[in-house]
């Protein structure tokens, strides 16, 4: 009962904020709606019992990645976006097409997966840590190298040329 | 009554009580700060309203509410109005996972002295802290003023940078206690080392504590890291354009964050509500002793805040960033390496 | 609408994915395009966590953590490129990135 109510609330908030992301003309409003999406997704993860992923979602997505976006928007002071002719055409044909695809997808999913019940378990930090540092040690290390390269890349790209 | 309704009612009641106590404490923290800083500078501080100026917070509150709320013409209105609300809401949210003591008993009914006990409480706190940047960043950007924008850019860069050190400084404690639940971390600190030293994490983790304290000062934008509102250069930084209740919200958020920092510091490093049992007191008072110790430790933290404010000058901005990345972060990392080496060598 | 099952989460994820795709395809502002990509990654994450719950196995959640990490790397580099581009051309519209087009 509780699960149903909470799921409906956060799923609706999540999708509505995602739509708002596209509907808004000003980038900062879009960024804020994306933050709302991240937050409600974190709550959906909590409903699924994935405590650690929910916390990571908030700390990294909402707290780090989106700060980067908001920062960039503030720095570039990007104004409102104007529609070009081709982007209008894309909206007119694209949106209904995607709506149809989603409807079809939902239908197929509901037929194929039926009512696959949710299992019953909790993804606490302990279990995730054990998995991350034993079974997935190599991918973990590779990811850390990837992050290092990305940091250096970002620094090099954003640095002002010395005159 | 179904269990979930009971749960919702109980949580709501607890939240209301905690928030009322917290906001009162915040108001009196402001009074304390003015009084102590006044004494340090050889003046009196507030004296006019009530005995020792004790009613000053009340007078300030009335002033904030009654003052005209000015919205400048060229601000981006939705965000200008939302920013202080975001700040204060996030500041209040983090108190939800902080435990204040053991079980509270009223006759046969007992409930933990905490709004909610989460397994990943510490991560929740870090998450809320990391999201709190938005209040400041959006306030500065939407005000459409140079001072505000500079202040908020400084604030967000500073908060993002020091968050890394803040998070890393907590890992040493987590390694020792092996849990992310604040209650379990506190319970791990009961007892003594060698029979006389309290078993606080502060003693094995004093490096982490100093890193935490420094990073926390930067996170809460307090002197010596108050560059976001450096009044001599930026008027008032990100809240230059705010007045009356909206300004008061930023003010409340800042002091609430000070309380949260003090709570987390107490819980992680100073054994939370554990302290000498005062056995000479009557039984009724006994059950409040843990709460007393907790409040006392928080008071000491706040005093430290004010003391430092009365003592230290402000950093220069490049010094602040260099200090955060080149000094604090390596120290925090070294502490993690040392702690994990110690744990790895001592556990069979 | 009975109990909430895996399928409901999958439908939400599909909707997010579709909205993200629309964003990537129709918007001209590079910042919004990058944000839409984040939306798509989030949809995938929701799928992974929901399936992980369905099967009662944790690797799904571990994978979603990897995806979050990669998203951070992607955002950092993407925004770096964006800032470098803005310095040269004073615009952040994707269809004005046409130096190699003729």
């Amino acid at each position: 009962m509780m699960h149903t109510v909470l799921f409906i609330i956060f799923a609706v908030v999540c999708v509505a904020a995602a739509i708002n992301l596209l509907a808004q003309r000003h980038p900062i409003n879009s960024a804020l709606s994306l933050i709302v999406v991240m937050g409600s997704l974190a709550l959906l993860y909590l409903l699924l019992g994935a405590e650690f992923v929910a916390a990571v979602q908030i700390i990294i997505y909402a707290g780090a990645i989106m700060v980067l976006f908001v920062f960039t928007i503030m720095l570039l002071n990007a104004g409102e976006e104007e529609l070009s002719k081709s982007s209008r055409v894309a909206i007119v044909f694209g949106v209904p097409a995607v709506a149809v695809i989603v409807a079809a997808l939902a239908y197929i999913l509901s037929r194929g997966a039926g009512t696959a019940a949710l299992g019953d378990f909790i993804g606490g930090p302990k279990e995730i840590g054990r998995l991350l540092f034993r079974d997935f040690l190599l991918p973990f290390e590779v990811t850390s190298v990837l992050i290092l390269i990305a940091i250096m890349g970002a620094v090099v790209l954003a640095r002002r040329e010395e005159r | 009554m179904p269990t979930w309704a009971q749960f919702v009612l109980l949580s709501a009641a607890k939240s209301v009580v905690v928030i009322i106590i917290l906001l009162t404490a915040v108001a009196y923290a402001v009074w304390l700060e003015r009084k102590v800083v006044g004494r340090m500078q050889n003046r009196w501080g507030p004296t006019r309203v009530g005995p020792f100026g004790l009613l000053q917070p009340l007078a300030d509150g009335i002033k904030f509410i009654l003052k005209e709320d000015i919205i400048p013409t060229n601000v981006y209105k939705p965000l200008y109005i939302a920013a202080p609300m975001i700040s204060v809401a996030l500041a209040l949210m983090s108190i939800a996972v902080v435990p204040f003591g053991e079980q509270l008993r009223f006759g046969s009914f007992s409930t933990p002295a905490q709004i909610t006990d989460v397994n990943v409480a510490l991560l929740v706190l870090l998450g809320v802290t990391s999201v709190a940047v938005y209040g400041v960043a959006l306030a500065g950007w939407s005000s459409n003023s140079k001072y505000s924008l500079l202040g908020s850019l400084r604030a967000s860069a500073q908060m993002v940078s020091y968050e890394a050190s803040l998070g890393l400084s907590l890992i040493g404690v987590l390694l020792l206690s092996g849990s992310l639940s604040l209650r379990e971390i506190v319970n791990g600190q009961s007892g003594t080392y060698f029979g006389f030293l309290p078993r606080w994490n502060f003693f094995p983790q004093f490096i982490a504590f100093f890193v935490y304290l420094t990073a926390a000062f930067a996170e809460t934008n307090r002197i010596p890291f108050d560059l976001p509102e450096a009044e001599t250069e930026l008027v008032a930084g990100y809240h230059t354009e705010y007045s009356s209740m909206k300004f008061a919200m930023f003010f409340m958020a800042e002091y609430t964050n000070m309380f949260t920092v003090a709570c987390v510091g107490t819980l992680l490093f100073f054994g939370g509500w554990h302290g000498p049992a005062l056995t000479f007191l009557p039984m009724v008072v006994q059950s409040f002793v843990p709460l007393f110790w907790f409040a006392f430790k928080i008071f000491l933290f706040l005093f430290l805040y004010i003391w430092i404010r009365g003592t230290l000058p402000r950093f220069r901005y490049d010094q602040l960033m260099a200090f955060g990345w080149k000094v604090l972060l390596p120290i925090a990392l070294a502490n993690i390496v040392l702690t994990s080496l110690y744990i790895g060598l001592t556990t069979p | 609408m009975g109990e909430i099952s895996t399928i409901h989460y999958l439908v939400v994820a599909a909707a997010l994915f579709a909205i993200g795709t629309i964003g990537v395809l129709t918007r001209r502002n590079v910042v919004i395009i990058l944000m839409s990509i984040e939306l798509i990654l989030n949809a995938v994450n929701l799928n992974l966590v929901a399936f992980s719950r369905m099967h009662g196995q944790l690797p799904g959640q571990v994978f979603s953590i990897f995806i979050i990490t990669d998203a951070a790397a992607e955002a950092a580099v993407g925004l770096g490129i964006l800032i470098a581009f803005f310095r040269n051309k004073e615009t952040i519209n994707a269809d004005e990135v046409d130096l190699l087009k003729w």
Side-chain angles (χ1 to χ4, degrees):
Chain A
M1 178 58 205
M2 197 77 164
H3 190 134
T4 315
V5 173
L6 291 175
F7 172 81
I8 290 171
I9 293 174
F10 293 123
V12 168
V13 168
C14 184
V15 174
I19 291 171
N20 190 42
L21 190 162
L22 292 189
Q24 292 289 340
R25 291 283 124 204
H26 203 291
I28 203 122
N29 291 340
S30 302
L32 292 179
S33 11
L34 188 52
I35 295 166
V36 174
V37 175
M38 307 290 182
S40 40
L41 271 179
L43 290 159
L44 287 182
Y45 293 157
L46 271 187
L47 283 183
L48 283 169
E51 287 174 340
F52 188 69
V53 180
V56 166
Q57 167 94 0
I58 291 286
I59 295 176
I60 298 187
Y61 254 128
I65 300 181
M66 288 319 293
V67 171
L68 216 59
F69 273 99
V70 171
F71 227 76
T72 314
I73 294 169
M74 279 163 57
L75 208 67
L76 303 183
N77 211 359
E80 302 198 356
E81 169 189 345
E82 288 141 29
L83 289 174
S84 67
K85 201 179 158 202
S86 52
S87 66
R88 271 207 196 90
V89 173
I91 290 170
V92 168
F93 288 103
V95 175
V98 172
V100 169
I101 291 175
V102 173
L105 223 74
Y107 175 67
I108 293 166
L109 280 175
S110 63
R111 241 188 13 176
T115 48
L118 291 168
D120 193 33
F121 82 106
I122 298 282
K126 225 169 232 165
E127 294 80 18
I128 299 257
R130 207 158 274 152
L131 222 53
L132 208 53
F133 292 108
R134 289 228 176 103
D135 301 9
F136 294 97
L137 186 60
L138 183 65
F140 180 77
E141 296 295 343
V142 172
T143 319
S144 67
V145 174
L146 177 84
I147 279 277
L148 185 64
I149 296 171
I151 294 171
M152 294 196 293
V155 169
V156 171
L157 279 169
R159 197 186 50 180
R160 213 177 281 275
E161 296 284 315
E162 301 281 332
R163 302 245 162 88
Chain B
M1 195 156 47
T3 41
W4 66 267
Q6 222 164 15
F7 170 76
V8 168
L9 269 182
L10 185 62
S11 304
K14 273 193 207 169
S15 310
V16 169
V17 171
V18 168
I19 284 180
I20 288 174
I21 293 176
L22 185 67
L23 290 183
T24 317
V26 161
Y28 277 92
V30 178
W31 173 82
L32 185 76
E33 169 154 19
R34 292 176 64 179
K35 211 68 184 165
V36 173
V37 170
R39 288 308 175 118
M40 281 175 181
Q41 295 166 347
N42 211 1
R43 0 177 228 107
W44 284 102
T47 52
R48 294 299 173 90
V49 195
F52 308 107
L54 267 173
L55 295 177
Q56 187 69 38
L58 203 66
D60 283 344
I62 294 172
K63 187 191 81 178
F64 276 132
I65 293 169
L66 294 183
K67 230 178 173 180
E68 184 188 356
D69 188 19
I70 299 167
I71 297 184
T73 29
N74 283 325
V75 299
Y76 185 60
K77 237 184 181 171
L79 292 184
Y80 178 82
I81 294 170
M85 295 181 188
I86 295 175
S87 270
V88 82
L90 287 172
L92 291 177
M93 206 187 277
S94 48
I95 211 75
V97 292
V98 172
F100 304 107
E102 313 267 2
Q103 299 280 320
L104 283 180
R105 284 196 190 76
F106 305 103
S108 63
F109 174 76
S110 97
T111 172
Q114 181 179 16
I115 295 177
T116 173
D117 190 6
V118 199
N119 273 336
V120 287
L122 206 59
L123 289 180
V124 172
L125 275 174
L126 280 180
V128 173
T129 328
S130 65
V131 179
V133 186
Y134 292 115
V136 175
L138 293 177
W141 183 81
S142 65
S143 292
N144 199 11
S145 143
K146 286 188 186 67
Y147 295 126
S148 302
L149 189 66
L150 271 177
S152 84
L153 279 177
R154 277 184 181 185
S156 6
Q158 170 181 330
M159 283 164 96
V160 170
S161 309
Y162 278 79
E163 215 176 271
S165 314
L166 188 80
L168 288 177
S169 72
L170 302 181
I171 291 183
V173 176
L174 297 184
L175 284 171
L176 282 184
S177 58
S179 169
L180 284 168
S181 155
L182 291 169
R183 193 165 280 278
E184 274 174 46
I185 293 174
V186 171
N187 286 337
Q189 298 179 58
S190 56
T192 51
Y193 290 119
F194 319 119
F196 65 96
L197 208 57
R199 203 181 176 77
W200 292 344
N201 283 330
F202 169 73
F203 297 111
Q205 287 292 324
F206 61 95
I207 304 175
F209 175 70
F210 286 112
V211 174
Y212 170 78
L213 200 64
T214 320
F217 272 63
E219 282 287 310
T220 43
N221 298 330
R222 295 280 304 183
I223 283 179
F225 303 110
D226 70 333
L227 289 134
E229 43 192 296
E231 64 272 6
T232 37
E233 10 176 340
L234 290 182
V235 189
Y238 58 89
H239 50 58
T240 305
E241 306 291 335
Y242 283 90
S243 60
S244 81
M245 211 52 212
K246 295 203 188 71
F247 169 74
M249 281 187 195
F250 279 120
F251 211 64
M252 256 150 58
E254 181 183 327
Y255 279 84
T256 313
N257 282 332
M258 277 168 61
F259 269 95
T260 315
V261 162
C263 286
V264 175
T266 309
L267 293 170
L268 291 187
F269 295 100
F270 289 98
W273 52 85
H274 292 303
L278 307 173
T279 35
F280 56 86
L281 290 170
M283 274 311 279
V284 191
V285 189
Q286 282 284 336
S287 59
F288 288 98
V289 167
L291 282 179
F292 165 74
W293 283 120
F294 191 66
F296 181 66
K297 288 171 188 172
I298 285 175
F299 169 77
L300 289 185
F301 255 98
L302 288 180
F303 189 79
L304 185 68
Y305 258 110
I306 299 167
W307 189 2
I308 288 178
R309 174 184 163 174
T311 318
L312 290 183
R314 188 178 297 137
F315 272 83
R316 215 172 60 212
Y317 195 64
D318 58 318
Q319 289 172 335
L320 169 95
M321 286 316 233
F323 180 72
W325 288 108
K326 294 180 189 164
V327 180
L328 218 52
L329 201 66
I331 293 179
L333 285 173
N335 178 56
I336 293 175
V337 172
L338 282 178
T339 312
S340 37
L341 268 181
Y342 170 77
I343 291 175
L345 290 176
T346 49
T347 40
Chain C
M1 168 160 204
E3 275 292 284
I4 296 296
S5 57
T6 314
I7 167 81
H8 297 102
Y9 287 96
L10 297 189
V11 171
V12 173
L16 287 183
F17 188 90
I19 295 167
T21 319
I22 297 179
V24 172
L25 294 178
T26 62
R27 298 302 294 260
R28 301 168 66 214
N29 191 330
V30 182
V31 181
I32 310 254
I33 293 178
L34 282 173
M35 284 197 266
S36 306
I37 294 174
E38 299 294 336
L39 204 58
I40 293 175
L41 289 172
N42 267 302
V44 175
N45 267 348
L46 184 56
N47 263 4
L48 281 174
V49 176
F51 278 132
S52 133
R53 172 79 186 254
M54 185 175 116
H55 291 294
Q57 284 175 345
L58 276 175
Q61 295 187 17
V62 176
F63 265 65
S64 70
I65 290 173
F66 283 137
I67 290 182
I68 292 177
T69 325
D70 288 353
E74 177 245 311
V77 176
L79 292 173
I81 294 175
L82 181 64
I83 289 176
F85 173 67
F86 184 79
R87 274 212 195 103
N88 290 330
K89 299 214 46 162
E90 301 274 309
T91 176
I92 49 168
N93 278 350
D95 43 7
E96 286 170 51
V97 192
D98 51 7
L99 262 180
L100 290 177
K101 245 184 174 176
W102 58 73

